[in-house]
Amino acid sequence: MADPAMSATPYWELTFDADGDPDPGRRDRLLAEVVDRGVSDLLVLSHGWNSDRSAATRLCSHFFEPFPELAPTARLGYVGVVWPSMRFSDEPIPDFPRAVAAELPPRPVLDKDTRHALLETFPGRATVIDRLARLLDQQPRADAELEEFGRLVRMLVEVVPPGPQALFAADTLAEGVPQDEPEIFAGSAAAVCEEFAQALTRLEPPSGAEEFTIPNPWDGAHELLRQGTYYAMKRRAGTVGERGLGRVVGQLAQAAPGVRVHLVGHSFGARLVSFALRGLPQGVRTVKSVTLLQGAFSHYAFAARLPHDVRAGGVLQGQQNRVDGPLVCCYSSHDSALGTLYPLASRMAGDAQGVAAFDIGRTLGAKWGAMGHDGVQAVPGTASLKLAEALTKLPVKGCVNVDAAAVVRRGGPPAGAHSDICHRELARLVLAAGRIH
């Protein structure tokens, strides 16, 4: 029950299950203690792709470390939101230990740590995971095996059919039009694996004599599995945010109405804290700022209408108005996960362009791009600033895009700088968004 050691205190941990139900003991402890500890501003951070609690709390400790020094007179409290998600262990995270690096087999073989994470994240799917691992190990040449791999990935992540539950996986919705599955599940698995393999080749260009090597479709199959698990985590992040964190923030507003809340989320954690706005009870105005760090969800999520489809709008349209302050979206061109692989995986069935036929950053990215690649889009009045400018003067209301590429720049393929978020400058930005001095 004790919260882990943390670089900044007082610290509380909120843990949620996949359905958004909180650990009641941890929730009640926060509600009971936040006033007694004299907290005026509560910083709430949600992780993105982490496989266990220890990785999530390490991220919280690292991210929160600069705050006491940057705001020495502020009465800050800190909350780490821990929810059941996973990260492939071959994804490097800057400044984090990677003890298994030397043991990792070359892609596309599924390493033992990722396999364990899959078993933990998708209980009851051991047979499916074993078959996926065998196929990646054997790399059969026939397309039939790639198609089988695609069916197994779909079975693993349990794609939700159209209906009310599907809203938690969608970032944009058309009026009266059922939600389609992403093409990675609805189309030919063999074709999608080929496309992912080509995209990975662009991110990891071979050198020397291997320059003209044909991409291995099983590299693409490994990426299909990665993106499939991300889709499941994306759906889960919305559920935990709306049904879990949003309700707890509402309960906190009742228990401690004077405490100002500042939501911060990384990757799918950015989606989680954004959906928490949709779960706030009516009349709650205690959320004073939201900061999205490399958000892994559609840049149109807050739009009332999409530029390419006037029938459709973002699933979170208008939710930025629930914030009594700014909604700040940090993005970086060095984030390969969101700049290349996210828009490719996010295409809906029926979009015929392939990876070789477009400029990802302009064409596919424009339609299916992520918050963490180019910021909030199609929301009138959104301000756009470089990080240095934002740290000088930040708008006090509305959506604000902040180009953080000057600091969010480290990380290897395939994710690039997606997890490079622990910087003093970003801590200063959170404080500026919350008007905390």
Side-chain angles (χ1 to χ4, degrees), residues 79-274:
V79 172
V81 174
V82 180
W83 57 287
S85 67
M86 69 163 288
R87 176 182 64 85
F88 273 55
S89 62
D90 64 350
E91 295 177 7
I93 297 179
D95 300 326
F96 271 58
R98 188 179 174 187
V100 299
E103 305 170 14
L104 289 178
R107 198 178 58 224
V109 175
L110 197 65
D111 66 272
K112 63 178 179 10
D113 290 320
T114 299
R115 186 169 175 171
H116 176 73
L118 286 169
L119 291 168
E120 291 287 316
T121 306
F122 301 102
R125 293 287 188 272
T127 302
V128 173
I129 293 167
D130 287 345
R131 179 58 178 159
L132 288 168
R134 282 198 302 273
L135 286 169
L136 286 173
D137 183 47
Q138 296 167 0
Q139 301 182 49
R141 292 183 177 274
D143 282 357
E145 277 77 11
L146 287 170
E147 295 295 343
E148 179 189 0
F149 191 90
R151 288 193 297 272
L152 289 168
V153 171
R154 190 184 191 282
M155 187 184 303
L156 176 69
V157 304
E158 295 181 324
V159 174
V160 177
Q165 247 188 321
L167 300 183
F168 294 107
D171 289 335
T172 58
L173 296 171
E175 297 172 1
V177 178
Q179 181 192 339
D180 292 325
E181 297 172 5
E183 186 178 352
I184 59 173
F185 299 120
S188 163
V192 171
C193 290
E194 292 279 0
E195 291 189 71
F196 275 133
Q198 293 178 47
L200 288 167
T201 299
R202 292 188 174 194
L203 294 176
E204 299 181 85
S207 59
E210 299 179 349
E211 184 175 356
F212 300 105
T213 300
I214 297 174
N216 179 1
W218 285 100
D219 284 347
H222 185 276
E223 188 59 34
L224 173 61
L225 175 59
R226 185 198 310 269
Q227 295 295 340
T229 63
Y230 291 173
Y231 184 78
M233 294 307 103
K234 175 182 177 181
R235 184 176 68 235
R236 187 174 291 179
T239 301
V240 173
E242 180 164 352
R243 297 177 179 171
L245 182 60
R247 292 175 181 175
V248 172
V249 173
Q251 293 166 342
L252 181 64
Q254 284 189 320
V259 174
R260 306 168 76 245
V261 176
H262 310 276
L263 302 179
V264 185
H266 168 238
S267 187
F268 281 144
R271 190 176 196 266
L272 190 155
V273 300
S274 296

